[in-house]
Amino acid sequence: MLEGTKQWVKKRPALFRFYLWLLDRWKLFRVTGLNLSKARLFRQLRPYTMVPYEGLSSLLTLCVDVERRNLGGAYVECGVWNGGCSALMARTAKRSGHARRTWLFDSFEGVPEPVELDGAEAKRLALNNASGRLKAIGHFVGALKNVETILFREFRIDPERVQIVKGWFQDTLPSQKDAVGPIALLRLDGDWFESTKVCLETLYDNVVSGGYVVIDDYGHWEGCRKAVDAFFLERKIQVDLKPAGYSVVYFQKP
């Protein structure tokens, strides 16, 4: 059956591309309805993010709520890829007139090696090498130039309001924690156990009361889920984890 499908696609590539386009537009309509400005925004972000439309819509809602309540603190994203979600956050701050900063942390080399806690699927990506070394394995590699394009060229965000920090989380977050200061919304997209763990351990205390923490991979990557659950247990934190599309969850800091 699968081989037959592959042959059909090879023979009709234009028709298959049209099918994918139609499917994408249907997914977009399900999320945005007749809100044309929202649909245009999400289409503009699409080449720069792997987050489904439901996740983008949820993130936009949280950012709008942060601005509406005039919550203090920065937007922070750990795991930027090509900058789609970063741009959404920075754009929301710009449109509200709030002078908050947006901090972006990424290796721009992709993810490092996983550890055993990340599970079988992560180990397969790393060719069964799960030593946890801070060494890129060639997956989920974002490009800094794409981040700069969507932020500064397409959305015309003031570069003075954006701080991009290149490097592994374990190296950059501890040294930048104090400079980041209070956080209104923290978005984590680090995939693995150790990456998620260091983000929570280093930056959670910076999140202001009533601020949000968004975890992109909780419903997909085993290590991410284990890191979040272990952090809650260790810190005796009880929160209401709310789903926001495939794999994404978020909660409001008590």
Side-chain angles (χ1 to χ4, degrees), residues 37-99:
S37 62
K38 189 175 181 180
R40 282 195 298 269
L41 170 62
F42 288 177
R43 285 202 303 269
Q44 190 175 5
L45 293 170
R46 200 76 186 104
Y48 300 94
T49 180
M50 291 185 282
V51 175
Y53 293 127
E54 291 88 350
L56 292 177
S57 183
S58 173
L59 180 61
L60 177 60
T61 298
L62 297 183
C63 290
V64 168
D65 182 64
V66 165
E67 302 301 336
R68 179 186 60 80
R69 291 187 289 136
N70 199 30
L71 205 61
Y75 289 134
V76 178
E77 183 170 42
C78 300
V80 176
W81 197 54
N82 284 319
C85 289
S86 310
L88 177 59
M89 294 188 291
R91 175 187 180 274
T92 307
K94 175 185 176 182
R95 289 172 66 88
S96 73
H98 198 291

Side-chain angles (χ1 to χ4, degrees), residues 15-252:
L15 189 59
F16 184 65
R17 286 195 297 270
F18 176 73
Y19 165 76
L20 293 179
W21 178 88
L22 200 62
L23 180 61
D24 182 75
R25 289 303 183 268
W26 167 243
K27 291 178 179 179
L28 180 63
F29 178 76
R30 285 180 56 199
V31 172
T32 63
L34 297 177
N35 188 331
L36 297 182
S37 62
K38 189 175 181 180
R40 282 195 298 269
L41 170 62
F42 288 177
R43 285 202 303 269
Q44 190 175 5
L45 293 170
R46 200 76 186 104
Y48 300 94
T49 180
M50 291 185 282
V51 175
Y53 293 127
E54 291 88 350
L56 292 177
S57 183
S58 173
L59 180 61
L60 177 60
T61 298
L62 297 183
C63 290
V64 168
D65 182 64
V66 165
E67 302 301 336
R68 179 186 60 80
R69 291 187 289 136
N70 199 30
L71 205 61
Y75 289 134
V76 178
E77 183 170 42
C78 300
V80 176
W81 197 54
N82 284 319
C85 289
S86 310
L88 177 59
M89 294 188 291
R91 175 187 180 274
T92 307
K94 175 185 176 182
R95 289 172 66 88
S96 73
H98 198 291
R100 75 175 77 248
R101 295 179 66 84
T102 301
W103 284 78
L104 309 178
F105 294 89
D106 201 295
S107 69
F108 296 105
E109 297 180 37
V111 292
E113 291 181 358
V115 296
E116 290 292 336
L117 287 170
D118 287 304
E121 186 176 354
K123 287 177 64 178
R124 281 195 296 271
L125 282 181
L127 301 178
N128 290 321
N129 190 350
S131 64
R133 293 180 299 173
L134 294 178
K135 178 181 178 181
I137 61 172
H139 292 281
F140 313 127
V141 182
L144 180 56
K145 66 178 181 179
N146 291 338
V147 178
E148 294 172 338
T149 295
I150 184 68
L151 281 168
F152 306 133
R153 186 180 305 172
E154 296 197 25
F155 284 171
R156 299 187 182 280
I157 305 298
D158 181 359
E160 294 295 321
R161 308 311 310 168
V162 178
Q163 186 72 39
I164 301 175
V165 184
K166 185 179 185 299
W168 301 112
F169 298 156
Q170 288 87 337
D171 298 328
T172 58
L173 294 182
S175 65
Q176 297 295 326
K177 175 182 178 180
D178 292 339
V180 170
I183 298 173
L185 188 150
L186 172 64
R187 184 176 184 278
L188 305 183
D189 192 358
D191 298 354
W192 301 158
F193 178 87
E194 293 292 345
S195 300
T196 304
K197 177 185 175 186
V198 71
C199 289
L200 287 171
E201 290 179 346
T202 308
L203 296 179
Y204 178 79
D205 290 333
N206 287 39
V207 179
V208 300
S209 178
Y212 292 105
V213 178
V214 181
I215 305 162
D216 183 78
D217 306 299
Y218 186 86
H220 182 79
W221 291 115
E222 186 177 336
C224 173
R225 182 168 60 255
K226 288 178 179 177
V228 173
D229 293 347
F231 180 78
F232 288 157
L233 184 63
E234 180 182 328
R235 297 284 293 268
K236 296 181 174 60
I237 297 171
Q238 293 185 345
V239 297
D240 181 17
L241 279 180
K242 298 181 180 179
Y246 171 72
S247 85
V248 182
V249 297
Y250 73 91
F251 65 92
Q252 191 169 24

